[in-house]
Amino acid sequence: MPYSPKTLVLALALIGFSGAVWAEDEGRLPTVEVKAHNEKTGIFQPVKVNATEITRKDAVDLKTALTDIPGVDVLGAQSTRQGNDSITIRGLSGNRVAMSIDGIDMPESNENKETGQYVIFGRGNFVDVSALSHIDVSKNAQGFGLGGSVAMHTLTPNEILRGQPQGGYIDTQYNSEDKSSAVTGAGALQRGAWRGMVLGTYRKGSETDNRGDVGGQGEYRTKSDPSDHNSRYFLTKHEFDLDDRNTLNFAAEYLSRNQWTDSLSQANKQYHDIHGFDENQKIRFSVGHQYHNDGGLIQQGDTQLYWQKTKTSSATQRLYTKGCQQGGPSVNNRCLFDFNNQDEVWGLNTDWASSFDSDVVQQLWHYGAKVAYHDLTSDWAGYYAKSKPTANSKSLRGSVFVDGDVSIGRWLISPGLSMNYYRINPNNQGYEPGTDHQIAQLKKQSDFALTPRLGIAYRLTPLLEPYFQYSRGFNAPSSQQLAFSWNTGNYSIWGNPNLKAETANNFELGLRGQNDVFAYGISGFDNHYKNFIDYADVSNSVTLPGTWTPNQLFILQSQNFSKAHIYGGEAYARWKFAPDWKVSGSLAYARGSLRQDGVDHPLNSVSPMKVKLGLAYEQERWGSHVDLTYVAAKKDKDIYSASSFYNPSRSYALVDMGGYWKPAKHLSLRLGVNNVFNQKYWNWSDIAYLTPNVHDNAHGTTGASDGNTVSMTRNNADFYSAPGRTFNLGLRYTF
């Protein structure tokens, strides 16, 4: 008998509730210390992934590090050169999800996936997970984070020292998914009031495997395109205690990632022998001050001044049968496409905490401010653009915030308010769209918004805590959405200087609880968005000059849509039913729609339902786990323009296994096997960008592509499939 997703959500909710009652009655079970994933005591709790979990997964990127969080997916943009493009939280992705490392915002993600064979700047390529101490994932809307946030934090000297005057480790990895290997070395010292650390990682690998078996060139190729990549990462941090309350710190970070690709699948009668080279670079320096005091008005303070530069260079060469077009850059009929994108930012963050306790009321307040000044530049040489695709711009973003957690008896109230301001000023240096039409105008833009939030919870028992939360979100248009021009000859894509900022009203109702042996959470969310930015075809109202090709099939432009709506439910449970043993489960289900002129259409970025079950045995010397993941098919009725898109999605179940062993005090071994039964499947978040765009003024579809990426058909669908059976191996020696 088939079960609907709503039935499954209700079933898991009942299981979680009955398990909570059972665990409450069985409080005399062996007590085992449980490190809760949600350590914040307030209502708006981020999900935390710590370094131990990242290491035991043998994570090589964000995609493998964040696999266990319900409602969260990392986009791989299958078949492009993007890498880890961005993160999806409850159906929203890209620049709608705020991403930061050590409080410093990451650069923009590529808004136009159809440029994915020429213009590359996936945000995940600027992260090396070997340096991460923990990742905090918030699913609540906020200022400059319409879909939530992912805050990554790098290791500190104390985390490597572990209470000793000196320490370190050497870690090695191998993953058969892309035949990649990595070696990391880290060391830390403490001498008096000074502590310091250095960490370095080198990685290399090849193309990500799939289930295709047809080679050759052209659109019928199903094997992955050959690719090689390597990266070098370096991090150093230093801390100096001025006294028992004040600490100065300094950090420097460097990353360089190179990738070489032979795009055999892109070959056709007009051109072949396509080679691509992509390089990502990141440099950052920061200085800061930390304040810590057990008493007084202020207990904690953290201030950071930073400078960061991220740069992406992408070069593509194609051999044309009839030679390159006149005036285009070429070498021996090999046409060149060169793109460079750079974001240089100066910023200041300050965050303070104060607590006030009485016999009746306990209060904890966080307050602070953030300001960042971005200088975004790009350059382009080649075809598919009359000028550089994105105009250079300078932008300023600032926020002032206050958040509180107030406990009154069994009640917990969490109010918050953020004031957000942005200003962006694009300029026409090198930006020559070739038309005076208003679609190509450049305009300054600024806006201000208040984003309140409120959470209320009532603790009946430690295992029964119903809660409600509301959060307001705000997101400024990206530089690409405001000032962009791209022309392939048969269609063009444009920004919109008149865009309004997107806003969100998020509501969540749930039940959660935990004790020493059991933890669970059940929630339903209802998120409403206004001025949602997406693409629409404006060819009926825009006429471009002949230099843009007079008979273009369509002209896409970023536009504000009246409304979007995403709703769904999530659940998780973890039970330590015996010493060293635990079982876990999670579920995520969501539906989404986009409204224009009173008509709702599916929102293609929303992932289908996912259920995950796990069994683990963990002790100091050794441990193992087995996980079962079930993902429902993305049905055609949930895809806009499904009639013109071949949908390979189908329900699938995966089994993953892994374990670790410490044969000696300082030596540990990790081993994992993913997709044990070698299932063929398609990860929707990796192929959603292939859904076709629309051709009228009324409708749009997020992550769409009508461009240079080969269309997916029944004949080549295996090219976009996920990896089959893979294994990973890791070895660490600590000293």
Side-chain angles (χ1 to χ4, degrees), residues 31-52:
T31 300
V32 182
E33 182 179 357
V34 179
K35 183 174 178 62
H37 285 241
N38 298 318
E39 294 182 321
K40 186 175 181 292
T41 58
I43 297 173
F44 294 94
Q45 299 178 351
V47 182
K48 184 181 292 293
V49 180
N50 60 38
T52 300

Side-chain angles (χ1 to χ4, degrees), residues 13 22 41 94 96 140 216 252 260 399 412 437 471 552 645 663 718:
W22 185 91
T41 58
R96 293 187 175 104
N140 305 110
W260 298 265
S399 299
L412 177 61
H437 193 280
S471 59
Q552 292 199 345
F645 167 71
D718 287 358

Side-chain angles (χ1 to χ4, degrees), residues 19-286:
V21 176
W22 185 91
E24 181 75 17
D25 294 337
E26 295 295 325
R28 296 183 298 274
L29 283 174
T31 300
V32 182
E33 182 179 357
V34 179
K35 183 174 178 62
H37 285 241
N38 298 318
E39 294 182 321
K40 186 175 181 292
T41 58
I43 297 173
F44 294 94
Q45 299 178 351
V47 182
K48 184 181 292 293
V49 180
N50 60 38
T52 300
E53 294 172 289
I54 294 172
T55 301
R56 287 184 177 175
K57 291 176 184 176
D58 249 341
V60 296
D61 54 17
L62 285 177
K63 198 175 187 69
T64 48
L66 299 177
T67 55
D68 295 334
I69 303 178
V72 176
D73 293 293
V74 178
L75 279 66
Q78 196 84 332
S79 88
T80 72
R81 289 151 44 185
Q82 292 282 136
N84 285 176
D85 175 69
S86 62
I87 297 175
T88 297
I89 299 179
R90 290 178 173 175
L92 294 188
S93 61
N95 296 311
R96 293 187 175 104
V97 175
M99 292 179 63
S100 64
I101 299 180
D102 291 339
I104 304 173
D105 289 340
M106 300 188 68
E108 286 186 4
S109 173
N110 190 354
E111 297 280 4
N112 309 285
K113 300 302 182 292
E114 60 277 353
T115 66
Q117 292 296 334
Y118 308 98
V119 178
I120 318 296
F121 40 103
R123 301 165 97 185
N125 292 342
F126 294 104
V127 179
D128 196 297
V129 295
S130 66
L132 295 183
S133 162
H134 59 279
I135 306 172
D136 292 328
V137 178
S138 173
K139 301 177 184 179
N140 305 110
Q142 56 190 268
F144 301 116
L146 200 74
S149 65
V150 178
M152 292 163 277
H153 305 270
T154 56
L155 292 165
T156 64
N158 281 332
E159 289 175 299
I160 298 176
L161 290 169
R162 297 180 179 272
Q164 302 299 316
Q166 60 190 36
Y169 58 86
I170 297 174
D171 191 280
T172 60
Q173 291 177 288
Y174 177 79
N175 193 310
S176 68
E177 180 177 304
D178 60 353
K179 304 178 184 64
S180 64
S181 58
V183 58
T184 298
L189 286 173
Q190 180 171 4
R191 294 293 183 267
W194 169 84
R195 297 174 299 279
M197 59 155 285
V198 293
L199 180 146
T201 298
Y202 176 75
R203 298 182 185 274
K204 67 175 183 178
S206 302
E207 67 276 4
T208 299
D209 196 15
N210 64 15
R211 293 299 308 278
D213 56 8
V214 178
Q217 299 189 42
E219 62 178 316
Y220 295 112
R221 177 183 175 87
T222 60
K223 289 184 177 181
S224 297
D225 284 337
S227 178
D228 294 299
H229 61 84
N230 64 44
S231 66
R232 297 163 180 83
Y233 178 83
F234 173 81
L235 173 70
T236 184
K237 289 186 176 182
H238 302 270
E239 301 173 351
F240 184 82
D241 295 328
L242 298 176
D243 52 39
D244 60 351
R245 295 182 179 180
N246 296 275
T247 301
L248 297 179
N249 57 66
F250 167 79
E253 186 182 24
Y254 172 78
L255 180 145
S256 176
R257 184 182 188 275
N258 302 298
Q259 177 175 276
W260 298 265
T261 305
D262 290 335
S263 300
L264 301 179
S265 62
Q266 299 292 312
N268 57 34
K269 295 180 179 180
Q270 294 182 341
Y271 50 80
H272 57 92
D273 197 16
I274 308 164
H275 302 287
F277 171 71
D278 306 300
E279 180 181 18
N280 300 99
Q281 284 190 345
K282 181 175 76 170
I283 305 172
R284 70 111 163 175
F285 296 99
S286 61

Side-chain angles (χ1 to χ4, degrees), residues 185-414:
L189 286 173
Q190 180 171 4
R191 294 293 183 267
W194 169 84
R195 297 174 299 279
M197 59 155 285
V198 293
L199 180 146
T201 298
Y202 176 75
R203 298 182 185 274
K204 67 175 183 178
S206 302
E207 67 276 4
T208 299
D209 196 15
N210 64 15
R211 293 299 308 278
D213 56 8
V214 178
Q217 299 189 42
E219 62 178 316
Y220 295 112
R221 177 183 175 87
T222 60
K223 289 184 177 181
S224 297
D225 284 337
S227 178
D228 294 299
H229 61 84
N230 64 44
S231 66
R232 297 163 180 83
Y233 178 83
F234 173 81
L235 173 70
T236 184
K237 289 186 176 182
H238 302 270
E239 301 173 351
F240 184 82
D241 295 328
L242 298 176
D243 52 39
D244 60 351
R245 295 182 179 180
N246 296 275
T247 301
L248 297 179
N249 57 66
F250 167 79
E253 186 182 24
Y254 172 78
L255 180 145
S256 176
R257 184 182 188 275
N258 302 298
Q259 177 175 276
W260 298 265
T261 305
D262 290 335
S263 300
L264 301 179
S265 62
Q266 299 292 312
N268 57 34
K269 295 180 179 180
Q270 294 182 341
Y271 50 80
H272 57 92
D273 197 16
I274 308 164
H275 302 287
F277 171 71
D278 306 300
E279 180 181 18
N280 300 99
Q281 284 190 345
K282 181 175 76 170
I283 305 172
R284 70 111 163 175
F285 296 99
S286 61
V287 294
H289 169 260
Q290 291 177 319
Y291 175 80
H292 30 86
N293 183 12
D294 293 335
L297 179 64
I298 300 174
Q299 286 80 51
Q300 293 181 2
D302 192 348
T303 300
Q304 176 183 225
L305 175 67
Y306 62 85
W307 171 84
Q308 176 177 277
K309 182 168 72 173
T310 55
K311 183 178 180 180
T312 300
S313 301
S314 297
T316 303
Q317 299 182 9
R318 306 196 310 193
L319 185 62
Y320 272 69
T321 304
K322 297 182 179 180
C324 292
Q325 299 177 21
Q326 184 178 0
S330 65
V331 176
N332 297 326
N333 284 338
R334 183 178 293 278
C335 304
L336 306 181
F337 307 80
D338 289 305
F339 173 78
N340 297 285
N341 187 76
Q342 178 176 292
D343 182 17
E344 186 173 3
V345 56
W346 287 88
L348 174 69
N349 300 332
T350 184
D351 188 350
W352 300 81
S354 300
S355 62
F356 310 95
D357 294 340
S358 68
D359 294 338
V360 179
V361 180
Q362 295 80 45
Q363 303 179 60
L364 174 62
W365 293 91
H366 285 272
Y367 45 92
K370 297 177 61 176
V371 61
Y373 178 78
H374 293 260
D375 186 359
L376 179 64
T377 58
S378 65
D379 196 14
W380 170 268
Y383 301 101
Y384 294 157
K386 296 300 180 182
S387 70
K388 62 174 64 178
T390 305
N392 294 349
S393 64
K394 299 181 187 298
S395 65
L396 178 69
R397 289 191 174 197
S399 299
V400 178
F401 67 90
V402 58
D403 294 311
D405 295 315
V406 182
S407 297
I408 307 174
R410 294 176 180 239
W411 288 95
L412 177 61
I413 304 172
S414 295

